[in-house]
Amino acid sequence: MQDALAAAGYPERILVACSGGPDSLALASVVSYFARRGHVHGHPVSAAAVVVDHQLQEGSGEVAAHTAAILEELGLSPVQVRTVEVASTGFGPEAAARDARHAALDAAAEDLGCQFILLGHTLDDQAEQVLLGLARGSGTRSLAGMRAARGKLLRPFLGLRRTETLEICGVEELEAWHDPSNADPAFARSRTRVEVMPVLEDKLGPGVAESLARTAAILQQDADFLEELASASYDGLVNRTDDGVWLPEGALRELAPALRFRVIAKAAADVGGQQPGYGRLQAAEALLRRQGSAGPVQLPGNVSVYRLSLSELERDAAAGPREGGGCGKLVFRHHTSPQH
């Protein structure tokens, strides 16, 4: 905890997100120790807490109220319960709940004047995240897992095992709530936790979780480096118009594939799209090979991408000034409906 707060620049006001489970309750207990002392390494610190009630289980309100009472006994102040409506987003119930939860946490941090939000994710959570990414065929960014610090979010326990948070709760005599959805086989993460990870530990020997978490740490460095290169490449290639952006296909084709795919994804995001999956990125990148259709290819978030060839550019030039000189281009546009 001291290392996490030191790396964050010793914030004076922090917010603990607590579900009542052993991980976040252990986190709240450790935070409360420093809050009662009033400082970390001589730097002043105070802590508030928030419990998010997703209303997805019967009795969730009682669980939230009970957790809030424990947090108040620990000395965190103020303690808030924030009730959210989990709307369907098309990305699954877990993603929808996460979006609703993070929106509530951001609002609470803003209202309470907290610079950082502390989450109780552990090394086991990280290992499960990497394993799920592998199973889904995800890219480097997904396999890099969760970060110890990202924006306002801090995860001080990302190097601790789940058994250690249970031990903290036992020593502190804290009665943790065990979310029944964590053992529900309807959820992929629950199956990974309850069924897959124990088998891997049994068949491959101990240390699988640590190895997966170490993989995430290595890939975070790789992903950051590629992200910097892709951002620089995109900034050097992008041309903006009133209704979208375009990239010169010649220069785009010359990029290494790892950068080319990331630059295409950046263009889609730039016009308001969502992160495309690998299949959609492949379809957009295939436009550069000038084989078959020139598009459009539909990307998530109502984005269309198509290739405008040199002959079409020259034809358009007859009606006005040409854009971008003598090569084709890949055009990205956002539309409000699929029929547009």
Side-chain angles (χ1 to χ4, degrees), residues 100-118:
R101 178 169 60 253
H102 280 275
L105 294 176
D106 285 339
E110 182 70 24
D111 292 345
L112 298 175
C114 298
Q115 293 96 3
F116 287 94
I117 303 166
L118 276 61

Side-chain angles (χ1 to χ4, degrees), residues 36-243:
R36 290 193 298 270
R37 286 204 327 179
H39 70 91
V40 176
H41 294 151
H43 299 269
V45 67
S46 63
V50 63
V51 184
V52 178
D53 177 11
H54 300 84
Q55 304 185 91
L56 295 177
Q57 299 170 354
E58 186 176 351
S60 65
E62 288 79 5
V63 171
H66 178 68
T67 301
I70 294 174
L71 297 174
E72 288 173 346
E73 289 178 6
L74 287 172
L76 300 175
S77 179
V79 176
Q80 292 187 350
V81 174
R82 298 232 169 184
T83 302
V84 298
E85 298 283 345
V86 179
S88 177
T89 61
F91 292 96
E94 291 176 283
R98 182 178 61 249
D99 290 344
R101 178 169 60 253
H102 280 275
L105 294 176
D106 285 339
E110 182 70 24
D111 292 345
L112 298 175
C114 298
Q115 293 96 3
F116 287 94
I117 303 166
L118 276 61
L119 306 177
H121 294 113
T122 66
L123 184 147
D124 294 85
D125 295 309
Q126 185 77 299
E128 292 158 10
Q129 182 90 351
V130 175
L131 196 57
L132 283 169
L134 286 169
R136 292 166 177 163
S138 301
T140 307
R141 177 60 66 189
S142 179
L143 296 180
M146 296 174 285
R147 294 178 175 275
R150 180 165 187 170
K152 288 184 177 181
L153 302 180
L154 299 180
R155 296 181 173 92
F157 282 5
L158 210 52
L160 294 185
R161 296 300 303 266
R162 192 170 288 134
T163 53
E164 293 176 287
T165 64
L166 287 167
E167 185 180 354
I168 292 172
C169 289
V171 169
E172 297 296 325
E173 299 182 348
L174 297 172
E175 182 183 351
W177 171 68
H178 294 273
D179 186 349
S181 70
N182 287 335
D184 188 345
F187 300 104
R189 182 175 291 278
S190 300
R191 294 195 300 274
T192 302
R193 175 176 300 182
V194 177
E195 301 174 14
V196 179
M197 286 298 297
V199 171
L200 290 177
E201 293 277 356
D202 179 54
K203 299 300 182 182
L204 300 179
V208 171
E210 287 87 352
S211 296
L212 289 168
R214 186 165 58 250
T215 297
I218 294 169
L219 288 176
Q220 281 178 12
Q221 298 176 12
D222 294 348
D224 288 345
F225 179 64
L226 287 170
E227 179 67 18
E228 289 178 11
L229 293 179
S231 294
S233 296
Y234 182 68
D235 291 342
L237 294 178
V238 66
N239 295 267
R240 290 183 169 82
T241 62
D242 292 338
D243 57 354

